[in-house]
Amino acid sequence: MKRIRISRCAQQLLAQPSPRRPLCPCATVLQRNITPHNHRIQARFQTTAAIQNNEDLEIEIEEPSASEAIESTSRSSAPQRRRRMRLENLPSPHPSAASHSAKLSALRARLSLHQRFPLQTLARTLVHPSADPDPAFNNASLSILGANLLGYYTTEYLMCNYPRLPMSVIFAAQYAYVGPKALATVASEWGIEAAAEPGGEVDPGLLQFKRIKSGDDVPPALRRQAPWKWNVTTTHKIVATDEFGSNNAPPGPHSLSATAVPMEEAAQSFVRALIGALHLHLGSPLVKRFFRDHFLSRHLDISTLFDFRTPTRDLSRLCAREGFEAPVARLISETGRLSRHPVFVVGVYSGKDKLGEGAGSSLNEARVRAAAAALKAWYLYRPIEVTVPSSMEGELDTSKWKPNMVDCGEVIV
Amino acid sequence: MSTCKPLARICIRNRQPSFLPLPQRRHESTTRRHKKLLNLPAAPSYTPDRSQPTLIFNPPSSAPSVYHTPLKFLPKDDRRRQLYAAFQTAATQTAHRTASPAVAAPGTPLSAPSFLPPRPSAGLPPPVRIPYDKKYHLTDADIVEIQRLRREDPERWTRVRLAEKFGCSQFFVGLVAKNEGKAERVESEHERSRARWGVRRRTAREDRGRRRELWGRDA
C-alpha cells in the first residue's frame, strides 16, 4: 500500500510559510534534529532544553530610555539607537514571539476562541508575576479582572438558582466552581504545560512562573495563616476577604512578583487572566458563554456540601419560623429490629406532609438523617424560571426581567 | 424444607391481644404452596395496558431526592403547587380504584402486612417517639421549689426525679437549677471509669462518635 505523504496532503490548507522566521528560537533546533519527511519518528523536545548559541536567538529591541527600566543589563551606554539583545536576558518571552508559537495557536483553537482574540494577549495571560515583575508584561491586572468576573458570574448563578442556600454552602460551592484547585484542574484539562524556568527564549505557549525549589517551603504569603481574630464573622468573610469565605484576604497578584509560587497558583492566575482578557477583547456575552461551557458545565452536587450538627433542632426551628406544624418523626418501615443489622426507614412529617426521609441502622440515626434530608430539601429549593442579573446588562427592554426570589435567610438556632 | 423457615419467621403475628376467635391459618408446608405464595403480581409498570411498546420505569425503592422540594416547602406563588396537588388527587383515586388481588384477600396468609406494599390510607405511620406539646405550666414558685430541692439534696433530687415530679423536661431542670458541684463530681467519676477503658473500647467509642457526625453530612 502506498503511503500518503502527510506533508503534502494538507498543504493547500495551510498558510504560506513566511520566508524567514528569525524570531522562532526553536526552528533551527527542530530542523537540525528531525529527519525531513520521516513522520514515524516521534521526537519529543523540551522547549527549555539548551539551545545552542545562534545568531537567530537574538532580537532587536529599542534602547530603553533612562526613565523606563525594563532590563538592567541593557542599560549600557551603547552608542547605537537599536541594538541586538539576547533573548535569555528577557524575563519572559517577547510579545512578538507569540504569533509564531504553535502551542499558542493550538490553545486558541482548542478553546474555540475567536480569531479576533490576539495571540499576544493569550501569551501574556500565561506569564505569572513571579516570572516577570513588570506589570505591563505579566497577567496580574488581567487576573484581578478575571477573578472578579468569575466570582460575579458564579455567585449570581448560585444565588438565583438556589435562593435559600446558607452562606457557608455558597462559599463552599464557589470554591468548588472557581476556587484555586478547580481553576488549576481546568487549566490542566485545557492542556496547559509549565515551563521549567521562565525566560525570553521559552516558548510563549508555556505557563511561565518561578518554581519553588525542591525542598523549599511554600512562601509565607500563600501559607495558611492564623486569622486576625478568632471569632471571624460571616459578615467579615463576605465583606473583607475573598469570595470563598477565607479567614484572611488572599495575597494580591502584584505582591507575588518576587516569590516562587506553586504551580496551582500560577495556573489559577492564568485561567483568571484569560477570563479577564476575553472580557476586554471579545466582550461580556462571549465571556458568559465561555463561563457556562467551561465552568458551570462541571458537575457539582450541592447536596453533599451540607454539614448539619443538630438537624432535628434546626428543622423544628425552621417549622416554627415558617408557621408549619412541628415536625414529627414517623417510622415508615423497618426490618430486622432484633438482628445485628436492622434498617429503619423514618420520615419526618409536618402535619400530613412528608418533609424528608432517611434510613439508618438505629431509630436515632434514621431520625437525624431524615431531619437532615428535610433541611436539605428546604435549602435546595430551585425556582422554575430564573433570570440572572448579568443577562440584562445593557438591555433597554426590561420586560423579560423576572425578579428573583430573595429568601429571608438560613435557620439560626 | 429449609426455605420455609425464614418466611415463617417473618410472618408477623398480631401484637395486640384480641378476644375475637382466631381464624384458622395454614402454614406453608409444601413447595407448591410456597411457590404460590411467592407468586406476587407483577409491578403495574411491567404490565402495560397498551400493545404499543412503552417505556418501563421501575426504579428500585430509594429515599426521595433532596432536589425534589416537598409541597410544603414551595413558596406560595410556585407553579409546582398546582401540579403536585393534581398528581396527589389522581394517585389517590387510582390507588383506591385498584382492587386488591384475590390472593391477597383478608384471611389469606398474604394479607399479613409484611408481604404487601402498604395500602394507601389516610393514617400516617406510627411516630418514633410519642409526640408531646410544650405545656409552660410551671410558675415562679415551682421554679424556686425546684432550685431549693436541687440545692439542698442533689443526690436525692436528680434531674430525672425533678422532671418526673414537676412534669417538665430534664433539660428545663438543668436550665433553671444548675448544680455545678454535682456536675463536676459526676464528670470526674465518668472520667475515672473512662480511664479504665482498653484500646478496643476506646476506639469503638471514638468511631461511634465519628459515625455520628456523618449523620448530618449524608455519608
Side-chain angles (χ1 to χ4, degrees):
Chain A
M1 197 169 135
K2 216 172 153 186
R3 204 176 61 181
I4 302 173
R5 296 182 68 179
I6 299 172
S7 59
R8 282 265 182 86
C9 65
Q11 211 159 26
Q12 74 276 11
L13 299 176
L14 299 175
Q16 288 298 318
S18 54
R20 290 298 301 158
R21 282 190 286 182
L23 286 181
C24 182
C26 310
T28 49
V29 181
L30 296 182
Q31 280 173 3
R32 194 165 296 155
N33 290 346
I34 292 182
T35 318
H37 299 301
N38 193 350
H39 299 282
R40 290 199 165 173
I41 298 174
Q42 294 184 345
R44 294 179 61 120
F45 301 100
Q46 276 229 329
T47 326
T48 47
I51 300 173
Q52 289 117 5
N53 283 338
N54 284 323
E55 292 304 307
D56 287 350
L57 283 181
E58 290 177 344
I59 191 168
E60 280 191 357
I61 61 163
E62 298 209 1
E63 179 68 14
S65 60
S67 60
E68 51 183 30
I70 299 174
E71 277 296 307
S72 56
T73 54
S74 64
R75 213 186 292 158
S76 56
S77 58
Q80 69 269 30
R81 180 78 186 119
R82 296 171 69 85
R83 56 174 223 119
R84 296 173 77 81
M85 187 191 152
R86 307 223 22 106
L87 276 178
E88 289 91 331
N89 294 335
L90 289 173
S92 64
H94 196 268
S96 63
S99 51
H100 306 301
S101 166
K103 275 180 182 296
L104 277 180
S105 301
L107 178 65
R108 188 172 71 178
R110 208 155 56 226
L111 297 180
S112 313
L113 300 179
H114 199 267
Q115 292 292 318
R116 226 164 57 223
F117 187 65
L119 287 177
Q120 285 81 6
T121 314
L122 188 58
R124 189 180 154 186
T125 61
L126 283 162
V127 180
H128 190 260
S130 62
D132 192 347
D134 191 338
F137 290 98
N138 64 28
N139 65 8
S141 51
L142 291 174
S143 75
I144 291 172
L145 175 62
N148 285 325
L149 286 171
L150 280 175
Y152 172 46
Y153 291 142
T154 323
T155 317
E156 74 169 4
Y157 167 78
L158 286 172
M159 297 192 76
C160 293
N161 279 291
Y162 300 96
R164 284 176 182 164
L165 279 189
M167 205 58 218
S168 52
V169 177
I170 288 187
F171 282 147
Q174 286 262 3
Y175 191 83
Y177 271 122
V178 291
K181 287 198 171 60
L183 294 189
T185 313
V186 166
S188 75
E189 283 167 3
W190 286 346
I192 303 297
E193 293 165 336
E197 183 68 25
E201 78 282 11
V202 177
D203 190 307
L206 294 170
L207 186 59
Q208 324 248 341
F209 63 101
K210 200 158 112 195
R211 285 177 186 265
I212 298 175
K213 288 198 183 68
S214 92
D216 282 5
D217 208 355
V218 179
L222 293 173
R223 240 176 276 157
R224 166 173 278 187
Q225 294 159 3
W228 63 288
K229 62 173 185 175
W230 286 104
N231 55 347
V232 178
T233 57
T234 311
T235 315
H236 176 262
K237 285 178 181 173
I238 295 168
V239 173
T241 67
D242 58 355
E243 64 266 42
F244 313 122
S246 327
N247 289 333
N248 301 92
H254 288 292
S255 65
L256 291 173
S257 52
T259 55
V261 292
M263 166 106 180
E264 184 187 297
E265 167 65 30
Q268 69 152 327
S269 83
F270 156 68
V271 178
R272 287 172 172 170
L274 181 67
I275 296 286
L278 286 177
H279 182 80
L280 293 180
H281 279 283
L282 302 181
S284 61
L286 244 146
V287 175
K288 273 184 271 185
R289 202 185 312 157
F290 189 83
F291 175 75
R292 187 199 64 202
D293 293 344
H294 289 271
F295 296 93
L296 286 188
S297 61
R298 299 167 67 79
H299 175 69
L300 172 69
D301 190 5
I302 298 183
S303 72
T304 55
L305 302 180
F306 288 89
D307 183 8
F308 298 110
R309 296 294 156 93
T310 52
T312 47
R313 215 164 65 170
D314 292 5
L315 184 63
S316 54
R317 278 308 307 155
L318 174 73
C319 287
R321 190 186 81 178
E322 297 295 320
F324 306 144
E325 296 100 326
V328 177
R330 294 176 183 278
L331 184 60
I332 295 174
S333 71
E334 62 169 283
T335 176
R337 185 185 273 258
L338 300 179
S339 71
R340 194 174 182 276
H341 294 292
V343 175
F344 300 98
V345 180
V346 166
V348 175
Y349 289 74
S350 166
K352 288 202 165 187
D353 295 306
K354 187 162 80 174
L355 305 180
E357 193 180 310
S361 59
S362 71
L363 282 171
N364 255 343
E365 180 183 355
R367 197 169 53 88
V368 172
R369 282 181 187 275
L375 280 175
K376 279 182 195 173
W378 168 265
Y379 284 131
L380 289 172
Y381 165 70
R382 210 175 163 164
I384 296 177
E385 306 105 349
V386 165
T387 45
V388 289
S390 71
S391 66
M392 304 302 289
E393 270 170 9
E395 293 218 11
L396 296 176
D397 176 28
T398 53
S399 59
K400 277 187 292 179
W401 168 255
K402 289 197 187 62
N404 287 297
M405 177 185 160
V406 177
D407 194 64
C408 68
E410 60 197 273
V411 182
I412 296 172
V413 177
Chain B
M1 289 299 300
S2 62
T3 51
C4 288
K5 278 183 183 170
L7 258 184
R9 217 184 291 155
I10 59 173
C11 220
I12 295 176
R13 285 201 205 96
N14 262 340
R15 295 229 177 92
Q16 294 88 2
S18 103
F19 299 106
L20 294 172
L22 284 172
Q24 188 192 11
R25 186 176 289 182
R26 298 180 62 173
H27 289 283
E28 292 74 43
S29 317
T30 63
T31 313
R32 183 175 57 82
R33 284 185 193 144
H34 210 86
K35 274 184 182 166
K36 278 173 89 174
L37 176 67
L38 291 176
N39 193 11
L40 289 175
S45 58
Y46 281 117
T47 51
D49 47 357
R50 279 173 296 171
S51 57
Q52 290 97 6
T54 55
L55 185 69
I56 291 178
F57 179 66
N58 196 15
S61 61
S62 59
S65 164
V66 289
Y67 288 98
H68 295 168
T69 313
L71 179 64
K72 202 153 213 176
F73 284 168
L74 289 175
K76 291 277 178 293
D77 52 349
D78 201 288
R79 268 197 292 125
R80 276 167 282 191
R81 276 187 168 271
Q82 291 101 41
L83 294 177
Y84 280 6
F87 168 75
Q88 199 74 28
T89 49
T92 321
Q93 281 170 0
T94 316
H96 282 302
R97 230 186 304 123
T98 314
S100 63
V103 72
T108 57
L110 265 185
S111 69
S114 64
F115 293 110
L116 279 182
R119 311 304 317 279
S121 66
L124 291 169
V128 175
R129 302 196 215 162
I130 301 154
Y132 64 95
D133 286 327
K134 289 179 181 167
K135 286 181 282 188
Y136 302 107
H137 62 290
L138 293 182
T139 59
D140 288 348
D142 289 334
I143 290 175
V144 171
E145 174 71 7
I146 291 177
Q147 286 166 347
R148 187 186 65 79
L149 288 173
R150 186 110 169 104
R151 191 174 53 244
E152 286 177 0
D153 191 1
E155 301 301 324
R156 167 80 183 87
W157 289 107
T158 58
R159 293 200 331 177
V160 181
R161 290 209 181 103
L162 282 171
E164 276 175 8
K165 180 171 160 54
F166 288 91
C168 60
S169 66
Q170 301 177 28
F171 177 74
F172 182 74
V173 176
L175 206 66
V176 298
K178 191 170 276 183
N179 196 324
E180 306 277 353
K182 172 82 188 301
E184 268 177 30
R185 249 177 294 139
V186 170
E187 183 52 40
S188 63
E189 196 176 312
H190 288 177
E191 189 58 48
R192 256 184 286 121
S193 58
R194 249 178 270 145
R196 284 200 300 272
W197 286 354
V199 178
R200 290 174 60 176
R201 176 172 292 208
R202 190 180 301 281
T203 47
R205 291 283 178 132
E206 285 166 0
D207 288 350
R208 195 183 298 169
R210 253 175 247 136
R211 284 199 298 272
R212 172 75 182 74
E213 280 174 14
L214 293 181
W215 292 358
R217 214 184 286 170
D218 196 24

